[in-house]
Amino acid sequence: PAKTATKVPYLALPAQRTLFGAASEGISQRDRVMIGCGMGAGLRVGELLALEPGDVRIDGADPHLLVQYGGAGRAPTKSRRARRVGLFEPGLGFWRIWMAGFYQPGVQLVFEGPRGGYQKSWPESFPGWAASLGLPALSSHIMRHTYAVALLSGTWGYEPRSLDFVSQQLGHGDRETTDRYYGSFEAGVWRREVQRMTGQTTPDSRGPVTAAELLMTS
């Protein structure tokens, strides 16, 4: 039987500002920047925690991540393929903040735990952070869902991206998976485009949302 659309929990921009803002209670800046790194690249939490220093390439003209592993012990990604994830604000800003202020040179993993090694228990913190956002529930997968919805809807100030672009960035094994989760958001993009073309709404002239803005450090 055909697979039905999947309900997708995500953080709209006001909720993102609450999560990352300096006034966010119960979430350290370290954790907020770490969440921003995952959300800003659309990574599964296992992929985020398994990244190694050589996989982070943010200093050149083509900033990106090389996602090779999906979990502890260099476990394979869900698709069993490595992928390249292009970086831009706010994700790029979060990655630069992390590498400059939180990353410890010489360690094996970019996000080494306090006692070294893979931070297996980090995702368990998300349900406890839900109260800071006024949400009934929160899981680490909200980073990935928020990224996809933000790109498809133009939340971060860019022109809305296509499902094909989002699918490639997320590393889905096939486009049908992307369509099942996020197809309804792409449909919303087209409705808004028609409204713009018919003069019912006007384009947003603001620049892209940055990590510094979300963290309220600028």
Side-chain angles (χ1 to χ4, degrees):
K3 294 182 179 179
T4 58
T6 304
K7 186 175 181 180
V8 175
Y10 68 95
L11 300 179
L13 190 55
Q16 293 176 39
R17 295 189 191 282
T18 299
L19 170 62
F20 293 112
S24 182
E25 298 181 359
I27 309 178
S28 70
Q29 187 182 46
R30 185 181 190 277
D31 284 321
R32 282 182 279 135
V33 174
M34 195 168 165
I35 294 169
C37 289
M39 185 193 75
L43 302 181
R44 299 178 178 91
V45 69
E47 296 171 343
L48 176 71
L49 298 177
L51 280 166
E52 299 181 359
D55 300 330
V56 181
R57 306 173 184 186
I58 58 175
D59 295 327
D62 182 25
H64 64 278
L65 304 174
L66 184 59
V67 180
Q68 302 188 78
Y69 311 114
R74 291 187 165 181
T77 63
K78 189 173 181 179
S79 67
R80 297 191 172 273
R81 296 194 303 267
R83 74 181 185 279
R84 178 186 179 283
V85 177
L87 289 176
F88 40 82
E89 287 285 359
L92 179 58
F94 280 118
W95 276 97
R96 287 176 170 161
I97 292 168
W98 180 268
M99 298 305 289
F102 296 98
Y103 168 66
Q104 300 296 318
V107 298
Q108 181 181 359
L109 299 174
V110 174
F111 299 99
E112 284 270 352
R115 299 181 181 178
Y118 185 86
Q119 292 200 67
K120 181 180 179 180
S121 63
W122 187 71
E124 298 171 4
S125 300
F126 277 78
W129 292 332
S132 296
L133 297 174
L135 296 175
L138 192 66
S139 76
S140 60
H141 211 64
I142 202 147
M143 298 186 295
R144 188 166 166 86
H145 287 324
T146 298
Y147 175 84
V149 173
L151 292 188
L152 288 167
S153 62
T155 298
W156 289 334
Y158 301 101
E159 285 294 316
R161 301 295 97 181
S162 69
L163 276 175
D164 288 325
F165 178 81
V166 172
S167 184
Q168 182 174 334
Q169 289 279 100
L170 294 178
H172 280 160
D174 57 70
R175 190 182 182 280
E176 290 182 2
T177 300
T178 318
D179 187 45
R180 187 170 76 254
Y181 279 94
Y182 308 114
S184 62
F185 295 99
E186 186 180 53
V189 168
W190 295 121
R191 285 195 296 272
R192 287 191 293 274
E193 286 300 301
V194 170
Q195 290 174 344
R196 285 174 56 181
M197 294 173 71
T198 56
Q200 299 175 59
T201 61
T202 56
D204 191 341
S205 59
R206 296 176 299 175
V209 173
T210 67
E213 176 189 347
L214 290 175
L215 289 167
M216 299 173 66
T217 59
S218 58

